[in-house]
Structure formats: structure tokens, C-alpha cells
Amino acid sequence: MGLLDDKVVLVNGGSQGVGAAVARAAVREGAAVAVSGRRREPGEALVAELSAAGGEAVYVQADLAEAGQAKASVAAVVDAYGRIDCLVNSAGLTSRGTLLDTTPELFDAHIAVNLKGPFFAMQAAVADMTARKAPGTIVNVITSSAHGGQPFLAPYVAAKAGLAGLTRNAAHAHRWDRIRINGLNIGWTATEGEDATQRAFHGAGDDWRERAAARLPMGRLGRPDEIADFVVFLLSERSGVVTGSVIDWDQNVLGGLD
């Protein structure tokens, strides 16, 4: 449909999972896409895939845990294309910790990846947009666990809940600049990262997806490509004037009780 024709999009944390799906969807909709991530090999492999399919894509190596690198990822896009139109923050750290066993180091790691990195990437992107007096869009991939979450996700929840609040704050602050900022609270999703997490922290076997699906209302986990389509919609003009919304993308209903 060409929803992002002639747009320059940066997907932070875009080398796998939801981020990679967003990059594919954005290219399909006409955008030039920059994919950032810590690991060069999967990032460059994704860019090669997108380029082979006729898309315009570049890889930017950046560790979003470092504020300077988060800002530099935006600077690299501006250097390459002269501007940034859209930013997606999809990097995430999901290592486990409860209120009682989380160390200061683990807490700081979650804050760095799940909140601090997005904050400073948004800062750099909004600075470019406002300097050019140009509109723009930002989507933060958050989590339904930001509403409370499981006991073993305490530092993750703390950081992602902060990102939800930041999304609303920044959207309010820059609505008169015509910069729309929204968030997506995604539920349990079948990604490479989730597979590694289930195996590392929960002793899951090869059938964990099937076991998980059997416990879910829709009989399956969420899919990255579905989420990506909605992220592209939020980035595009088809989402109209919507800003400051943090939308639940989940099959469990907040506040619903059995």
C-alpha cells in the first residue's frame, strides 16, 4: 500500500524478532530502513535479505544499553539520509529477577536497555525533527507486563512501565511539533529471543510453544509479523492524529477476572 513511501525509518533492536519483522514491513511499505543492533552478523544478514528483495536498507551497529550509542544510531541515519522520519524502539532485555533477588547490576541493565536507550534515541530523533520543523512518528515496543507483570519480571516491569510513562510524556510535550509518539504493549510473542529466554530461565524444551499455546485464549502466541503491521500503521499517516496512546496488543484483558 506504500504506507511509508519516501520515509526514513530507524528500527533500534531491529536485527531479530519483532524489530526484524518491523524492518521487513517498513521496507515493503516503501521506506528506507536502518536496522540497529549489537550483533553485526544478524544485522547485516537482515539488510542483505532486504536489499536482495529490492528494498533500501543499512545496518548500524549500536548497543542500546549505552546512551551515547543510542543517540549515535540516530546520528548515523541522519548522516546517511539527511533526516529521520520515523523511529521504532524495539530492543529489549528480558532476563529474570524478582524484587528480592534482583541485584543493582541487573536492575541497571534493565533500565539501560529498556528505558535509557529509548529515551536518548527519542531525544536525538526529536531534536532532528524539530530542527527541521518537520513532523515525525515514534513507536515504542513495550509489554503488557508494564501493567504489573509476573513476580520474576520485577526489573523488566519497572523499566518498561517507565517507558510507557515516557511515551505519554514525550507525546504530550511534542504534539504541537506534529511529532506523534505511541506505544504498543505486546503480549507473549513467538520470537528467537523468547525461545532463548524460555530455555535459559524456565528449562523449556522444543515443545514449549505448543505447551504455551494450549494455555492461551486464541490457542497460539502472537506473531512478530502481525505486530509489525500494526507498528507500520502507527508510523504512517493512516493512523491520523493518534498520539500518546499505549495500546494493549494481547489476548488477555487487563482487569478481567475468571
Side-chain angles (χ1 to χ4, degrees), residues 25-141:
V27 165
R28 186 184 68 235
E29 294 297 335
V33 175
V35 172
S36 84
R38 290 184 299 112
R39 296 184 298 132
R40 180 174 294 277
E41 185 175 349
E44 291 185 339
L46 176 61
V47 165
E49 171 198 323
L50 297 174
S51 299
E56 184 172 356
V58 297
Y59 171 68
V60 177
Q61 188 165 22
D63 182 352
L64 274 295
E66 299 291 334
Q69 292 189 41
K71 295 174 69 172
S73 68
V74 175
V77 174
V78 174
D79 286 346
Y81 293 100
R83 69 187 196 279
I84 181 170
D85 300 308
C86 310
L87 169 67
V88 179
N89 284 310
S90 64
L93 178 67
T94 59
S95 51
R96 290 356 192 181
T98 70
L99 180 65
L100 296 179
D101 64 22
T102 295
T103 63
E105 292 77 15
L106 179 60
F107 183 85
D108 288 347
H110 274 274
I111 294 296
V113 175
N114 295 324
L115 180 57
K116 189 175 180 180
F119 185 105
F120 286 101
M122 289 169 64
Q123 182 187 81
V126 170
D128 174 71
M129 295 167 186
T130 54
R132 294 183 292 108
K133 294 182 171 57
T137 50
I138 297 173
V139 175
N140 292 319
V141 179

Side-chain angles (χ1 to χ4, degrees), residues 213-231:
R215 307 200 309 267
L216 295 171
M218 307 300 168
R220 65 177 178 86
L221 281 73
R223 296 204 312 259
D225 63 309
E226 299 169 326
I227 296 167
D229 286 344
F230 196 67
V231 170

